[in-house]
Amino acid sequence: MSDTAIDTLRAGARFDVEALRAQFPILRREVHGKPLVYLDNAATSQTPQVVIDVFGDYYARLNANIHRGLHTLADEATAAFEATRARVKAFLNAEDARQVVFTRGTTEAINLVAQSFGRQHLGPGDEVLISMLEHHSNIVPWQLLALDLGFTLKVIPVDERGSLDMQAYQALLCERTKLVAVNHVSNALGTINPVKEMARLAHEQGAVILIDGAQAAPHQTIDVQDIDADFYAFSGHKVYGPTGVGVLYGKKALLDAMPPWQGGGEMIKTVSFEPSGTTFAETPHKFEAGTPAIAEVIALGRALAWVEEVGVDAIGEWESVLLDHATRAVSRIDGLKIIGTAPHKAGVLSFVVDGAHSQDIGLLIDQLGVAIRTGHHCAQPLLHHFGVEATCRASFAAYNTLEEVDVFVSALERVIGMVR
Ligand SMILES: *Cc1c(COP(=O)(O)O)cnc(C)c1O
């Protein structure tokens, strides 16, 4: 038996994927009369029954506004909401639960840093570094702010395999660099970036680093203290949780020194009609204006507990097995080119096929029950760099099987035969 086959067996023996699948009702549905093969996990992951149940339970038993009332429901809802903050603290290995700010998602977390920290610290002559691998949500907030504040936005290039050019990064870093904003794992290519090393280098220049962890949180243990991240963001709906909720982690001293972003209820200590007379709540509440997505936050806590029960590193290992299997199989397809072949990759397989439009492949393969992503994956500048407008992308999660990869590959071969 080959080494890979043995690895596959070992990982499979440790990982009971059929038992996991049974917890996801959506995986039992059909699409166009075929069993659903869901390989668009980098866009959103599916949700296990225990997380879905949180919603029914919350509205049936607990529904009340938090941090306000003194009645029982308000107390219980507040406790359940704050329990997620403690859960996120442990999930990220933060020092203190007060470093966890709830947002609508990664996008809002990045915008919060841009509008609060950015407006406080950035101006003409300053530089912000992002990378060519960034999602639009870690590009556009900085562009909007640069137009307003007059700082310069610079881009760390990637090599032909889709790894960040670390020499270029070091060359770009200088005393003008105030902030580095990079993703931990690229959603378009799957590249895992050396964020700990990047943080060390940024700090040597006195810059602050924000890490977009939307694609890392579902696949590997995150330790914000080990990375020495100043800010770290992720989204609930990519870690088996609900949409509408995400997290911004920040170093306590940074968050404490930052001004509020949005004003409203929940974020104040006292309010007077004298604008300078209004005072703000402590971190993290000063960044959480208005009634939050209470049920979603509680459900996120349940999703993270689920991920911990399964083991995030075991999930990551299983996804590597799926990725290896898929990479090997699609490499045999004539005219197929994989975009993004970095040595350290998460479970993302992006590719283009000679003589076949990605969109046609996506539409036709859906007819066979297979859900993949086609398009620019919110990373247009990156795809331009590789000379393509769009790719097909299959991305894996804990509940995907080797058989599903085989179904995907034979469906892909059929579809390519039809469009060529
Ligand atoms: C999905 C994603 C985002 C945006 O997340 P939202 O949940 O849409 O806010 C940002 N960065 C990366 C790397 C992503 O994959």
Side-chain angles (χ1 to χ4, degrees):
M1 220 186 293
S2 73
D3 283 357
T4 357
I6 292 168
D7 282 351
T8 305
L9 279 179
R10 280 206 192 110
R14 277 199 306 270
F15 200 79
D16 188 352
V17 66
E18 289 305 328
L20 283 191
R21 286 181 75 74
Q23 302 179 43
F24 290 78
I26 207 168
L27 300 179
R28 294 194 281 277
R29 73 161 281 183
E30 296 193 336
V31 168
H32 302 297
K34 308 274 189 318
L36 168 66
V37 174
Y38 185 78
L39 299 178
D40 192 16
N41 296 288
T44 210
S45 53
Q46 297 303 343
T47 311
Q49 188 65 51
V50 286
V51 176
I52 298 170
D53 287 346
V54 169
F55 288 89
D57 190 53
Y58 174 78
Y59 287 107
R61 289 197 326 108
L62 225 56
N63 188 24
N65 213 327
I66 55 165
H67 300 138
R68 298 180 186 191
L70 284 174
H71 58 79
T72 302
L73 294 192
D75 277 351
E76 289 181 9
T78 303
F81 181 91
E82 289 300 324
T84 296
R85 214 186 294 276
R87 170 75 65 185
V88 174
K89 169 202 177 278
F91 185 75
L92 296 176
N93 191 33
E95 298 91 327
D96 189 324
R98 289 175 295 179
Q99 295 173 286
V100 174
V101 178
F102 291 117
T103 64
R104 281 197 301 124
T106 304
T107 304
E108 192 176 72
I110 295 169
N111 278 278
L112 192 167
V113 175
Q115 294 301 325
S116 173
F117 177 89
R119 285 195 181 276
Q120 193 177 33
H121 291 282
L122 301 173
D126 293 333
E127 293 179 2
V128 170
L129 294 187
I130 59 173
S131 89
M132 196 170 264
L133 289 171
E134 296 320 306
H135 189 281
H136 293 165
S137 68
N138 200 22
I139 301 173
V140 184
W142 306 113
Q143 289 175 330
L144 291 172
L145 200 63
L147 288 174
D148 234 17
L149 302 181
F151 63 84
T152 307
L153 195 57
K154 296 209 159 165
V155 182
I156 309 160
V158 294
D159 67 16
E160 66 289 347
R161 299 179 72 181
S163 295
L164 282 186
D165 181 339
M166 287 295 281
Q167 274 184 343
Y169 173 52
Q170 291 196 48
L172 284 167
L173 274 171
C174 65
E175 72 287 347
R176 291 186 300 278
T177 314
K178 291 291 168 345
L179 181 90
V180 176
V182 289
N183 60 38
H184 196 164
V185 172
S186 154
N187 62 301
L189 306 185
T191 310
I192 302 175
N193 293 317
V195 287
K196 184 176 176 177
E197 174 70 359
M198 295 183 81
R200 191 182 64 75
L201 292 165
H203 292 150
E204 268 179 19
Q205 289 293 340
V208 159
I209 189 163
L210 175 149
I211 299 167
D212 165 359
Q215 293 297 335
H219 310 296
Q220 62 185 83
T221 299
I222 309 296
D223 185 335
V224 288
Q225 294 188 67
D226 180 59
I227 295 168
D228 201 12
D230 296 298
F231 298 107
Y232 197 98
F234 73 92
S235 295
H237 69 101
K238 293 181 182 178
V239 278
Y240 308 97
T243 56
V245 61
V247 164
L248 173 69
Y249 157 89
K251 283 192 179 154
K252 186 74 167 39
L254 287 171
L255 293 174
D256 284 347
M258 280 158 56
W261 173 41
Q262 295 176 331
E266 308 249 3
M267 54 76 72
I268 48 85
K269 197 176 279 162
T270 60
V271 176
S272 94
F273 278 119
E274 200 60 48
S276 62
T278 292
T279 57
F280 304 116
E282 303 290 319
T283 309
H285 302 292
K286 77 172 166 191
F287 298 113
E288 294 176 355
T291 302
I294 303 170
E296 285 77 1
V297 166
I298 298 170
L300 171 63
R302 190 64 194 87
L304 296 181
W306 184 88
V307 167
E308 273 164 33
E309 284 153 29
V310 180
V312 70
D313 291 322
I315 292 173
E317 276 174 47
W318 176 244
E319 290 162 346
S320 306
V321 169
L322 297 169
L323 177 67
D324 282 353
H325 185 64
T327 303
R328 235 170 273 271
V330 302
S331 301
R332 287 193 286 268
I333 297 176
D334 189 38
L336 183 146
K337 183 171 173 233
I338 296 175
I339 308 285
T341 52
H344 300 292
K345 264 186 75 168
V348 171
L349 183 67
S350 255
F351 58 88
V352 290
V353 181
D354 279 348
H357 281 296
S358 297
Q359 205 186 345
D360 295 340
I361 293 177
L363 286 172
L364 288 168
I365 207 166
D366 176 64
Q367 295 293 318
L368 303 175
V370 181
I372 61 171
R373 180 74 147 209
T374 53
H376 54 59
H377 319 300
C378 299
Q380 279 183 337
L382 174 67
L383 295 192
H384 281 166
H385 172 74
F386 283 99
V388 296
E389 289 294 327
T391 71
C392 298
R393 180 187 71 186
S395 53
F396 305 106
Y399 42 70
N400 290 127
T401 66
L402 291 163
E403 294 73 33
E404 284 184 310
V405 173
D406 293 338
V407 170
F408 154 64
V409 175
S410 49
L412 181 62
E413 284 174 319
R414 240 180 96 186
V415 161
I416 292 170
M418 286 158 70
V419 294
R420 263 195 186 142

